[in-house]
Amino acid sequence: MKYGICRWMSVAMRAEASHKSEMVSQLLFGERYQLLEEMPEWVKISTADCQYEGWISLKQHTEISESEYHSLQEMRTVKSAFAYVTDANEKIPFPIFLGSRIPDTLDGKFSLAGRNYSIELPFEPTFPRHEGLTTQQDELLAFAFQYLNAPYLWGGRTPAGIDCSGFTQNVFHSIGIDLPRDASQQVSHGETVDFVDEAQIGYIAFFENNEGNIVHVGIICGQRQIIHASGHVQINTLDETGIYNQEEKKYTHQLRIIKRVL
């Protein structure tokens, strides 16, 4: 088995071994993976956190040893929308995204794949706080709100573009809970909540199409409020019918089920 790690801001994962194929997800800086298949210009990978499969360009693949792959299981999640990393060799800082992974470091210096880096973590922004939240709920909201107004991007996982399940996956990873990549997979996790008014901050709501398929997901962020990626990451009203968009004056998503995973 061969292993790799992302040392770029992000790397597109595609459904097939072609730049014309749809992007199904993205790797972020510091995320690890296993190689499943190799072609002259492409490699098929499986992500370490949720075993999501896709193809990445060989030019963007960085190989690491099995021992380094396992030694990097405990990584720190970057919780600022953008942070700057400097490669010790090139001495030119480059930005990495919210949700990227770095080894836990006290002095800001670390190594990945034989390269030495330093990182500058800016102060994390502050947002309106709710009273009586657990530490998990508080941290979840602070992380989620940093994606507000990020544009929707199918397969995206960054503030520069993100889809609904990528948003949910990133937010929950920030508090140590790993969810699958797609909404249709995420819905199998957690305990069912029977009523909208019983849903608390950090619960996950899933939505269906006319055929009954799970096609959308969002996170409860207040009393009858949901934060989700649809057009852009936004906060809307949630009731027993689904998501009501005040600006559009209509329901945009049909509620199927609410789950508790905290």
Side-chain angles (χ1 to χ4, degrees):
M1 180 67 70
K2 294 183 179 180
Y3 303 88
I5 196 165
C6 177
R7 64 181 184 90
W8 316 107
M9 290 177 66
S10 63
V11 169
M13 292 178 62
R14 301 195 177 275
E16 304 292 341
S18 169
H19 288 295
K20 295 181 179 180
S21 178
E22 70 170 327
M23 185 175 74
V24 294
S25 191
Q26 290 174 304
L27 293 172
L28 304 182
F29 183 89
E31 292 189 322
R32 301 166 300 132
Y33 53 87
Q34 296 182 2
L35 270 66
L36 303 178
E37 189 176 339
E38 296 181 64
M39 294 179 65
E41 296 183 3
W42 295 86
V43 290
K44 188 176 185 180
I45 67 167
S46 173
T47 60
D49 58 351
C50 65
Q51 293 75 56
Y52 198 72
E53 297 182 8
W55 291 87
I56 67 170
S57 169
L58 182 62
K59 294 178 181 179
Q60 296 172 329
H61 161 59
T62 300
E63 187 168 343
I64 58 175
S65 67
E66 181 177 3
S67 60
E68 183 173 9
Y69 177 86
H70 292 296
S71 71
L72 294 173
Q73 287 183 353
E74 300 297 328
M75 298 275 273
R76 178 180 179 181
T77 300
V78 174
K79 296 187 178 181
S80 302
F82 295 94
Y84 278 87
V85 165
T86 300
D87 187 312
N89 293 329
E90 299 174 353
K91 295 183 171 56
I92 298 176
F94 63 93
I96 60 175
F97 288 116
L98 178 73
S100 297
R101 321 285 168 82
I102 62 171
D104 204 6
T105 172
L106 296 177
D107 60 2
K109 297 180 180 180
F110 62 94
S111 297
L112 288 178
R115 302 175 77 95
N116 296 318
Y117 298 91
S118 61
I119 185 169
E120 295 181 17
L121 291 172
F123 290 107
E124 296 178 17
T126 58
F127 297 93
R129 300 173 68 94
H130 294 256
E131 296 296 328
L133 297 187
T134 66
T135 299
Q136 268 193 330
Q137 290 173 313
D138 198 41
E139 291 179 352
L140 178 146
L141 280 189
F143 193 85
F145 285 163
Q146 293 190 74
Y147 288 98
L148 280 170
N149 294 315
Y152 182 89
L153 175 65
W154 179 272
R157 292 182 58 228
T158 79
I162 196 163
D163 64 23
C164 64
S165 57
F167 171 69
T168 305
Q169 185 189 45
N170 282 7
V171 170
F172 276 87
H173 180 83
S174 76
I175 58 169
I177 297 175
D178 286 332
L179 295 176
R181 177 61 178 86
D182 295 335
S184 59
Q185 300 167 324
Q186 293 173 1
V187 72
S188 63
H189 290 252
E191 301 174 359
T192 300
V193 177
D194 293 326
F195 302 102
V196 170
D197 285 336
E198 293 179 356
Q200 300 180 21
I201 288 173
Y203 289 17
I204 308 176
F206 295 90
F207 304 86
E208 63 184 2
N209 60 14
N210 292 333
E211 289 73 44
N213 299 317
I214 299 297
V215 293
H216 192 64
V217 61
I219 302 170
I220 306 299
C221 63
Q223 184 65 31
R224 288 186 171 242
Q225 286 189 314
I226 186 167
I227 182 169
H228 64 122
S230 177
H232 60 279
V233 177
Q234 57 186 299
I235 296 174
N236 293 130
T237 301
L238 176 70
D239 62 22
E240 291 78 6
T241 299
I243 295 176
Y244 185 79
N245 187 305
Q246 295 283 356
E247 187 174 325
E248 298 181 19
K249 306 296 183 186
K250 68 177 183 179
Y251 285 96
T252 58
H253 298 84
Q254 181 178 333
L255 181 64
R256 168 72 170 273
I257 195 170
I258 297 176
K259 305 293 284 287
R260 173 185 178 179
V261 299
L262 294 178

